Amino acid sequence: MPIRNRHTARTAAAAAMCLTSLTVLCAAPAHGTSGAAAPRQKPADREGGPPPSSRPQPDLSPGQTAGESTPASSKPATHTVASGDTLWDIAQQTLGNALRWDRVFTLNRQTLEDEARRHGYASSGRGHWIFPGTVLALPQSPTAQPRPSSRFVPAPCPTRPEELADARCGFLVVPENRARPFTRNLRLAVAIVPSVSPRPHPDPIVFFAGGPGADAIGDIPQLTEAHLNRDRDLVVMSQRGTLSSQPALTCPEIDRFYRQRVHLLYDAPSTGRSYAQAAARCRDRLTAQGVDVAAYNTSESAADVADLRRALGIRRWNVFSHSYGTELALTYMRMFPEGIRSVTLDGVVPPSVATPGWTWSSVKESFDNILKSCAAQSSCRQRYPNLGATFLRLVRQLEAHPVTTNVTVAQAGMVKVVLDGGALLNWMVRASHEAAVFPLAVDELAHGRPRRIAEQWAAMRLPGTEGVFAHGLSLSVWCSEWVPYETPREQLAHGLRAFPGVPHSVLAQPPQLAFLRQACQAWDVPKAPAAVRAITRSSIPTLAVSGSFDAQTGAGWGRYAARTLSRSTVVTLAGLAHGTFINPCAAQVITSFYDDPEDPDTGCVASVKPAPFVIGRTGAGTRE
């Protein structure tokens, strides 16, 4: 989920697309105190031992670029499945490339299906279920016609943003699908922003953007404003499928649907059908252009990053990741740990738990923390004594009796807005970025004044944003890596645990990911191997930083991910929402972490407090 929460316009489009419900509750997140830096984590216990898919992936052979094949002559023609094996492991061990797991599956499809049925399963789940003793044939490595390695090609920088005036730019040329020899190449936009310091450190910072689908090049102004290039060069690559790279998996069809959705009932099945139809139209257009939509996923993006470091000749670098970028960072740490000096995770999405229903826990954590902060401020507590109960009552009330109103929105003019229970609960995600007015807006709505909430809801989709966000990348990731690992019943259960009194029609659609299952049926990509959801266990120094009001990637998930990162520091900043790095204190903590990953300066954290809540005048509840 990308987020651009800069000044008043910072929350609009970002909050809608950001990985707000980005995470399946494998275990309840640990609870800590907001506004404090948690002590460094001790090496985590094995917790009974990891599942078969959570074993670290072996490094590539020295000098081997991701995507290159190991000579066939050095590998056996068959492999006997051992206890704990996954197709991902087998492909890595025998072919030198975990991303070729689907070649192993395709070659042994009938054997795997027969074995699955023999063990009482309806199917192998595309190789998810494999059994010890099964003998698998191995595909031959295409050594007769080796594929060229990924390479960096210099090119002029874009004229905007202005921060690129002194940058070095170009494209990383990579295969679209590393598991398929002789696939076509992609061109991933790269910008290297020089350090402000005349004597920078030799280890640069590489940035992973959110979404999935945000264009990293567009985030450079915020990164430099946070002084991330203070004394290190900043390496920014737009992930495969995003706007600055070629091809871009943007979907104007879905942008138009989102703009129209403010006029529709959020939870209505007809709204879900419209979304699925928009996704189908985008997929048809992209596949007609030759795009392999299944090749746009977290594993391929991690391999892209590993190739970038080699292509640029960088010995060691530091990772800065935001939102979905943290899921990519955790995957990258597990698959390609070589060359990583340190990692910052801002708004954490652990791959092992990320599902549509996961998003409910973050909304609930943010909601509870906003209520606690209001109760701690005497004027807010006295003016809005029943804030939480009022909000949930309004969700139930609007779901039964939606409200339609017309509001004026900058750049869009007069907009018709329909507010039902689902719209109100999803508005809360957007409102977490301006929590100071949350109590006032809820109180106004309770007294028949929906204008403020309707304006904010309508502003989520402004004109001029069509064709910018890569919805195609979002769907390729979510539909292969998230949705298949959670049933509709499990998805609903997450909502019921978070908000037990809310109607099922609201809870059936996870925050920010409404009707994703229907869209995934139209998008039609295969289920990713279970190994993509492995827990990352690493000793790489890691900083997990979160905001206590983050309704998209709740602060508890930073603590959760840190449990298996033995050299981790966890920081929660009170009153901040998704995207903490634009806050001066958070930026200071992050830059100090890169200076000393073992002992970052967290002294400012205790001074960060929620902004005072806006208190409406007496009588503000009068109906207009």
Side-chain angles (χ1 to χ4, degrees):
M1 306 162 196
I3 191 63
R4 304 183 182 194
N5 43 359
R6 200 177 174 192
H7 312 303
T8 54
R10 61 194 176 190
T11 60
M17 280 332 306
C18 282
L19 188 91
T20 146
S21 26
L22 241 81
T23 249
V24 30
L25 222 49
C26 254
H31 295 287
T33 302
S34 296
R40 183 170 305 282
Q41 302 294 307
K42 296 180 180 179
D45 294 333
R46 298 292 287 184
E47 298 176 2
S53 63
S54 67
R55 299 188 316 202
Q57 304 302 324
D59 295 351
L60 293 170
S61 302
Q64 180 185 353
T65 301
E68 292 181 338
S69 300
T70 302
S73 60
S74 66
K75 299 298 178 184
T78 63
H79 175 87
T80 302
V81 176
S83 178
D85 271 351
T86 68
L87 292 187
W88 180 282
D89 295 330
I90 293 168
Q92 178 68 59
Q93 295 163 10
T94 63
L95 304 177
N97 186 351
L99 298 177
R100 296 189 67 201
W101 69 271
D102 66 339
R103 297 288 307 282
V104 179
F105 170 73
T106 300
L107 188 60
N108 297 276
R109 183 192 301 267
Q110 193 58 55
T111 298
L112 292 172
E113 298 303 317
D114 289 346
E115 281 295 300
R117 284 190 287 270
R118 193 168 70 83
H119 284 81
Y121 292 83
S123 75
S124 73
R126 194 170 170 78
H128 177 68
W129 301 111
I130 61 176
F131 303 91
T134 306
V135 178
L136 302 179
L138 298 175
Q140 290 186 344
S141 298
T143 53
Q145 295 177 289
R147 180 173 55 213
S149 301
S150 300
R151 63 194 185 279
F152 178 74
V153 179
C157 291
T159 56
R160 301 183 68 86
E162 290 78 3
E163 287 78 2
L164 294 179
D166 299 319
R168 180 161 65 98
C169 299
F171 292 93
L172 181 71
V173 180
V174 298
E176 183 177 52
N177 189 333
R178 289 175 171 83
R180 296 178 181 173
F182 320 118
T183 187
R184 71 173 183 171
N185 286 332
L186 309 180
R187 291 165 62 85
L188 311 184
V190 178
I192 304 170
V193 181
S195 167
V196 172
S197 170
R199 304 177 71 177
H201 295 293
D203 48 301
I205 296 170
V206 61
F207 171 60
F208 297 173
D215 182 34
I217 299 296
D219 287 335
I220 288 175
Q222 293 179 85
L223 300 173
T224 57
E225 187 176 323
H227 308 297
L228 287 179
N229 66 328
R230 182 192 65 186
D231 48 20
R232 285 178 170 82
D233 291 349
L234 179 63
V235 181
V236 178
M237 179 173 71
S238 286
Q239 295 164 29
R240 55 174 54 211
T242 57
L243 180 64
S244 295
S245 295
Q246 302 168 10
L249 271 60
T250 54
C251 292
E253 302 89 345
I254 294 178
D255 287 320
R256 288 191 288 271
F257 160 74
Y258 279 129
R259 217 172 53 241
Q260 296 163 1
R261 190 173 65 178
V262 297
H263 319 317
L264 308 174
L265 289 170
Y266 189 87
D267 300 321
S270 57
T271 302
R273 288 192 293 272
S274 295
Y275 179 29
Q277 290 164 4
R281 288 193 294 271
C282 181
R283 189 189 193 283
D284 289 346
R285 177 176 53 78
L286 291 173
T287 54
Q289 297 169 3
V291 173
D292 176 5
V293 293
Y296 295 78
N297 56 58
T298 306
S299 302
E300 289 281 6
S301 289
D304 293 340
V305 177
D307 283 1
L308 177 65
R309 185 183 65 83
R310 295 186 184 93
L312 295 178
I314 296 172
R315 188 177 72 86
R316 287 202 311 169
W317 63 9
N318 306 276
V319 173
F320 176 68
S321 58
H322 168 55
S323 196
Y324 163 74
T326 68
E327 180 177 359
L328 174 57
L330 289 164
T331 302
Y332 174 55
M333 291 167 69
R334 179 168 49 80
M335 290 181 65
F336 305 102
E338 62 275 16
I340 305 176
R341 174 178 177 266
S342 67
V343 176
T344 294
L345 309 171
D346 182 357
V348 184
V349 183
S352 60
V353 295
T355 62
W358 165 77
T359 56
W360 282 113
S361 67
S362 296
V363 174
K364 183 62 163 60
E365 183 178 4
S366 172
F367 182 66
D368 289 347
N369 285 338
I370 291 173
L371 296 183
K372 290 175 184 176
S373 295
C374 177
Q377 179 183 322
S378 59
S379 58
C380 186
R381 180 177 66 250
Q382 293 168 12
R383 180 68 181 82
Y384 311 109
N386 301 306
L387 179 61
T390 299
F391 178 80
L392 295 176
R393 174 176 60 79
L394 288 170
V395 170
R396 294 190 295 269
Q397 180 178 312
L398 288 176
E399 189 66 3
H401 304 287
V403 167
T404 300
T405 187
N406 293 291
V407 296
T408 301
V409 177
Q411 303 177 46
M414 188 66 69
V415 176
K416 173 187 171 183
V417 177
V418 175
L419 293 176
D420 61 4
L424 181 61
L425 203 146
N426 277 266
W427 164 81
M428 188 261 154
V429 177
R430 185 248 187 254
S432 66
H433 293 272
E434 296 180 85
V437 298
F438 176 78
L440 173 62
V442 171
D443 185 66
E444 288 176 343
L445 179 62
H447 290 87
R449 303 172 65 192
R451 179 179 58 81
R452 188 185 305 270
I453 290 177
E455 285 177 348
Q456 292 180 349
W457 184 241
M460 296 282 278
R461 297 291 167 186
L462 296 175
T465 59
E466 280 188 15
V468 174
F469 189 85
H471 298 285
L473 175 59
S474 299
L475 289 173
S476 288
V477 170
W478 291 336
C479 297
S480 65
E481 300 173 17
W482 290 21
V483 170
Y485 287 94
E486 179 180 67
T487 67
R489 179 175 294 182
E490 290 168 338
Q491 178 178 298
L492 177 61
H494 284 299
L496 288 169
R497 281 195 293 271
F499 298 102
V502 168
H504 284 206
S505 57
V506 175
L507 300 179
Q509 306 306 328
Q512 293 191 265
L513 299 179
F515 298 105
L516 179 58
R517 289 182 182 277
Q518 289 85 333
C520 286
Q521 290 175 358
W523 200 250
D524 191 24
V525 290
K527 179 181 180 179
V532 303
R533 298 176 58 79
I535 294 172
T536 299
R537 304 177 188 276
S538 176
S539 61
I540 296 172
T542 304
L543 171 67
V545 56
S546 307
S548 68
F549 286 1
D550 188 344
Q552 293 161 261
T553 54
W557 295 112
R559 298 187 289 274
Y560 173 86
R563 287 163 45 181
T564 55
L565 304 174
S566 61
R567 296 164 69 192
S568 60
T569 301
V570 179
V571 171
T572 301
L573 294 139
L576 298 190
H578 195 56
T580 66
F581 70 93
I582 63 168
N583 174 270
C585 175
Q588 178 181 323
V589 172
I590 292 167
T591 54
S592 75
F593 169 73
Y594 292 130
D595 291 341
D596 185 358
E598 299 296 342
D599 189 23
D601 181 3
T602 59
C604 65
V605 173
S607 66
V608 178
K609 305 293 183 184
F613 291 96
V614 176
I615 307 303
R617 60 182 175 82
T618 303
T622 305
R623 184 181 296 274
E624 292 181 339

